[in-house]
Amino acid sequence: MCGIIGYIGLRETKEVLLEGLRRLEYRGYDSAGVALLHEGKVIIRRSQGKLKELERKIAGERFSGHIGIGHTRWATHGKPSEANAHPHKAGGVVVVHNGIIENYLALKGTLMREGHTFKSETDTEILCHLIQSHLFQGVTFEEAVRQALLKVQGSYAIAVLYEGEKDKLIAARKESPLILGLGEGEAFVASDIPAILSYTRKMIFLEDGEMAVIQERSFRITTLWGESRQRPPKEILWDPVTAEKGGFKHFMLKEIFEQPRAVGDTIRGRVSLEEGQVVLGETGLSAKAMKDIRRVCIIACGTSYHAALVGKFMIEALARVPVEVDLGSEFRYRDPIVGSHDLLLAISQSGETTDTLAAFREAKRKGMRTLSICNVVDSSLTRESDGVFYTHAGPEIGVASTKAFTTQLVGLFLLALHLAETRETIGRQVIKDLLDALLKIPHQVQQTLDLNPQIEALAKKYMNARDFLYLGRGVNYPIALEGALKLKEISYIHAEGYPAGEMKHGPIALIDEDMPVVVLAPKGQTHEKILNNIEEVRARDGKVIALTNPSCQEVISKARDTLLIPEAHPLLTPILLTVPLQLLAYNVAVLKGTDVDQPRNLAKSVTVE
């Protein structure tokens, strides 16, 4: 997501920071800023928009000091603006931050009662005020940072300057990456390797709960509890392009492996397990408005449409309100019968998809309340919505959507729970149980990623197939559609997704000894039915590749190949089934030599009709 760069040494600090931010532009951002020491004071320069706006603003300025920090921001709390751009400052404390501070409202309330005044809408500004409040108590800079972070709940990677310590830079992390780079008489901090690779290849990767105190010729790493940590730097041998991809061969693979983090970030700050509540202040709908909803209409295109189909199952099962799902390109042309008691939910990774926007505007014209699920802050869709649920997938470079899709599924689940809670269709204990199941999903997604060596072997086995068939039932049927779409998009193999119950209404005619059939067969209400479908495929010599759970021994015994995913609540199983299908498509495409990140004829955002 956001990008961090920090430097202490004898180079021209402004140029080091700007060059580092340039090399982080691929991550996506909406604003940028730097803080540099000049004549004993920290000077901050920020701008909304692209880095060139910041460069124009500070062109010709010279700074006397040799220490500074910089940041590119992807908005989470607060709209994109110069006021919300990093770095943030309180007194002499300056902070840049990646991540989400979950308890920032409670901390902000305490600080305001102590007399602190805030200038932005961000959660980040809390950090510099919190550090400053500890400095007022007479502790050292290092101890002030340590004590402040011990009060913080959530995720962070931070770099901190203080005017009272003009030769010291402090960095710390929890659940958000941060790297320490070591040079001759200089040191660097960065959120990702490309930012500093042209200056040094000696790097130390900070671990969760660690803090580094950095000076020109020395550094110390400790835990937040003061325990010393020592380990040698690693020599990074990547070229710059490989570094941008995090060492992965393609952006798509990197983004597939980022899904545990992306899913966790989308959940974080929106769940209170103790209270059994979903905390969504962004819907733009009052409790009364939610109770008055008679119908939900979901519109989307492409991969987001498949997420919408899963969302229908989630919302109807939990909130007990009828849901219709339309392709954005079809909705407005059928003159839908809708009104003020209907909720229009639009799903789009980019927020700029022309067909979705046109359908959305038609719905607003007809008086519908509107809500959007989107990954891009301040996009056209979000600006026009009554309420917005932002996924926190971070920039998605690969054209074939991966982490944006799984975070959309998380968003739909949280919205379904929020509706159910407000409409009182399920009890508090049920909500707690569902939230507990949701909080396990990031770890379970990581477990499914561990299947990749097995999936690589499957890809070699089936890469020359002319056609694939994907079958699923119930809430997993849309995942069959998504799995087939991924294979088509990047490997150019013909693939079809079907509800398994419809197999005998046409697709069964295609099944023979050359046809791989991917069957989604986890535990669930329709498990016996899917076993019958497997038997029907086997009777025609089809090659069954089953995705199931370890306890489903009958499926395992009947399938030619199996991929075992962790058991989860049935409404969350689609997230776990998605990941192996992404990896299967990716590995087949790599073996066939296609352009994985930029498939032919496709664009990341379809902005024409």
Side-chain angles (χ1 to χ4, degrees):
M1 294 173 74
C2 310
I4 287 175
I5 179 71
Y7 176 70
I8 182 168
L10 297 177
R11 298 178 192 261
E12 182 64 39
T13 306
K14 180 181 80 170
E15 295 307 317
V16 174
L17 298 182
L18 290 175
E19 177 62 19
L21 295 180
R22 285 186 205 107
R23 293 183 179 276
L24 293 174
E25 283 192 287
Y26 74 93
R27 294 166 67 93
Y29 63 102
D30 52 60
S31 56
V34 292
L36 302 110
L37 196 66
H38 180 68
E39 296 180 355
K41 296 289 183 182
V42 175
I43 306 298
I44 294 176
R45 298 287 183 264
R46 305 181 295 190
S47 67
Q48 185 181 347
K50 293 301 180 184
L51 190 57
K52 63 184 179 182
E53 300 300 325
L54 177 65
E55 292 173 325
R56 187 178 297 121
K57 181 173 283 191
I58 61 176
E61 284 194 84
R62 298 190 65 83
F63 300 90
S64 60
H66 293 280
I67 186 171
I69 53 178
H71 193 265
T72 50
R73 178 178 187 253
W74 177 273
T76 52
H77 293 81
K79 64 186 178 182
S81 67
E82 184 172 329
N84 288 332
H86 300 209
H88 289 285
K89 183 179 182 182
V93 178
V94 185
V95 174
V96 292
H97 163 233
N98 291 351
I100 299 170
I101 305 303
E102 294 178 7
N103 60 334
Y104 84 102
L105 287 175
L107 292 172
K108 185 175 185 177
T110 300
L111 290 163
M112 289 178 71
R113 287 190 290 273
E114 292 175 2
H116 291 257
T117 302
F118 292 84
K119 300 176 182 177
S120 77
E121 304 168 277
T122 69
D123 55 336
T124 299
E125 193 181 356
I126 301 298
L127 292 170
C128 40
H129 284 274
L130 196 56
I131 295 167
Q132 183 195 26
S133 71
H134 286 288
L135 285 167
F136 285 158
Q137 297 169 20
V139 302
T140 64
F141 176 31
E142 180 178 345
E143 188 60 28
V145 174
R146 192 188 312 280
Q147 291 183 21
L149 292 179
L150 287 172
K151 293 182 177 179
V152 165
Q153 297 171 15
S155 63
Y156 56 80
I158 63 168
V160 192
L161 298 180
Y162 174 46
E163 288 176 344
E165 295 271 7
K166 299 178 178 61
D167 63 345
K168 191 174 290 184
L169 173 62
I170 292 182
R173 69 155 282 182
K174 179 191 175 192
E175 298 177 14
S176 198
L178 203 60
I179 300 160
L180 173 60
L182 306 174
E184 294 296 327
E186 60 185 357
F188 306 81
V189 172
S191 53
D192 210 350
I193 289 171
I196 57 177
L197 192 61
S198 60
Y199 300 108
T200 181
R201 292 182 175 271
K202 293 182 179 180
M203 302 185 192
I204 294 176
F205 295 79
L206 294 184
E207 297 178 357
D208 278 357
E210 288 187 341
M211 184 173 83
V213 180
I214 307 157
Q215 296 177 286
E216 285 183 14
R217 298 185 179 277
S218 66
F219 69 92
R220 287 182 294 107
I221 299 175
T222 66
T223 67
L224 292 183
W225 300 271
E227 301 165 351
S228 180
R229 292 282 176 88
Q230 292 185 345
R231 56 182 176 275
K234 292 184 177 180
E235 187 82 13
I236 304 300
L237 302 177
W238 298 343
D239 61 74
V241 174
T242 303
E244 282 190 5
K245 296 172 183 173
F248 291 98
K249 189 174 182 179
H250 298 95
F251 280 111
M252 182 181 177
L253 186 61
K254 176 176 182 282
E255 287 155 6
I256 290 171
F257 274 81
E258 285 177 340
Q259 286 176 116
R261 189 276 309 158
V263 167
D265 282 354
T266 301
I267 297 169
R268 187 173 287 113
R270 288 165 164 155
V271 166
S272 172
L273 195 57
E274 295 79 8
E275 300 296 325
Q277 283 186 322
V278 178
V279 184
L280 296 184
E282 62 254 75
T283 62
L285 296 172
S286 66
K288 182 181 184 305
M290 286 192 182
K291 289 180 179 178
D292 287 344
I293 292 170
R294 295 176 186 168
R295 176 176 51 162
V296 177
C297 299
I298 312 180
I299 56 170
C301 297
T303 285
S304 295
Y305 174 71
H306 299 155
L309 292 172
V310 176
K312 173 182 171 70
F313 283 91
M314 292 174 170
I315 294 169
E316 289 189 343
L318 299 176
R320 306 308 297 161
V321 59
V323 179
E324 294 180 7
V325 179
D326 271 279
L327 289 160
S329 56
E330 296 292 332
F331 180 81
R332 62 182 169 134
Y333 291 115
R334 67 175 177 86
D335 192 19
I337 303 169
V338 294
S340 60
H341 288 284
D342 299 319
L343 174 66
L344 190 283
L345 175 58
I347 307 175
S348 172
Q349 189 282 140
S350 67
E352 304 294 346
T353 303
T354 295
D355 287 322
T356 300
L357 282 170
F360 181 85
R361 289 162 182 159
E362 174 68 8
K364 289 196 76 170
R365 190 183 69 78
K366 288 177 174 285
M368 296 182 77
R369 297 182 175 97
T370 59
L371 179 63
S372 59
I373 295 178
C374 189
N375 192 41
V376 178
V377 174
D378 213 31
S379 60
S380 297
L381 181 63
T382 63
R383 289 197 303 271
E384 297 180 32
S385 295
D386 296 332
V388 182
F389 182 106
Y390 283 115
T391 57
H392 293 152
E396 193 174 64
I397 309 300
V399 167
S401 183
T402 53
K403 61 180 179 173
F405 177 71
T406 47
T407 54
Q408 286 169 354
L409 296 182
V410 170
L412 285 160
F413 186 78
L414 286 169
L415 282 171
L417 268 180
H418 188 49
L419 273 170
E421 180 184 349
T422 307
R423 296 167 67 87
E424 300 177 345
T425 54
I426 56 177
R428 186 68 60 197
Q429 187 56 52
V430 175
I431 295 173
K432 285 183 178 181
D433 292 343
L434 288 168
L435 290 177
D436 184 59
L438 178 63
L439 290 171
K440 294 174 183 174
I441 290 294
H443 175 66
Q444 291 178 316
V445 171
Q446 184 61 58
Q447 288 178 289
T448 64
L449 290 170
D450 294 339
L451 295 171
N452 195 41
Q454 188 179 345
I455 296 170
E456 287 178 336
L458 280 180
K460 290 176 183 176
K461 188 174 180 179
Y462 295 109
M463 62 175 286
N464 293 317
R466 189 181 65 181
D467 306 280
F468 273 71
L469 182 63
Y470 289 70
L471 300 176
R473 280 185 176 263
V475 71
N476 298 318
Y477 148 59
I479 305 307
L481 297 179
E482 175 61 13
L485 176 62
K486 282 292 155 286
L487 192 69
K488 283 184 281 194
E489 282 181 315
I490 62 173
S491 75
Y492 316 145
I493 293 174
H494 174 257
E496 291 296 331
Y498 253 85
E502 290 293 294
M503 187 176 71
K504 285 186 282 191
H505 294 268
I508 198 167
L510 300 174
I511 296 173
D512 59 20
E513 66 275 6
D514 297 320
M515 169 77 83
V517 182
V518 180
V519 183
L520 309 183
K523 274 187 175 179
Q525 185 180 7
T526 58
H527 189 69
E528 292 299 321
K529 300 289 187 184
I530 208 82
L531 280 170
N532 293 336
N533 296 131
I534 291 173
E535 288 288 12
E536 289 165 347
V537 173
R538 292 178 66 198
R540 288 150 185 86
D541 296 323
K543 303 170 181 177
V544 176
I545 304 168
L547 276 67
T548 189
N549 306 121
S551 61
C552 298
Q553 288 300 314
E554 196 169 357
V555 174
I556 295 168
S557 68
K558 293 178 185 298
R560 182 168 299 192
D561 297 284
T562 56
L563 295 171
L564 303 181
I565 66 165
E567 290 188 18
H569 188 279
L571 292 177
L572 294 169
T573 298
I575 300 171
L576 302 182
L577 289 171
T578 296
V579 178
L581 299 185
Q582 294 170 346
L583 287 168
L584 179 62
Y586 171 81
N587 283 298
V588 169
V590 169
L591 289 168
K592 294 182 78 69
T594 62
D595 189 340
V596 172
D597 285 333
Q598 294 183 313
R600 67 190 183 201
N601 306 330
L602 296 180
K604 185 63 184 170
S605 179
V606 181
T607 56
V608 295
E609 190 172 1

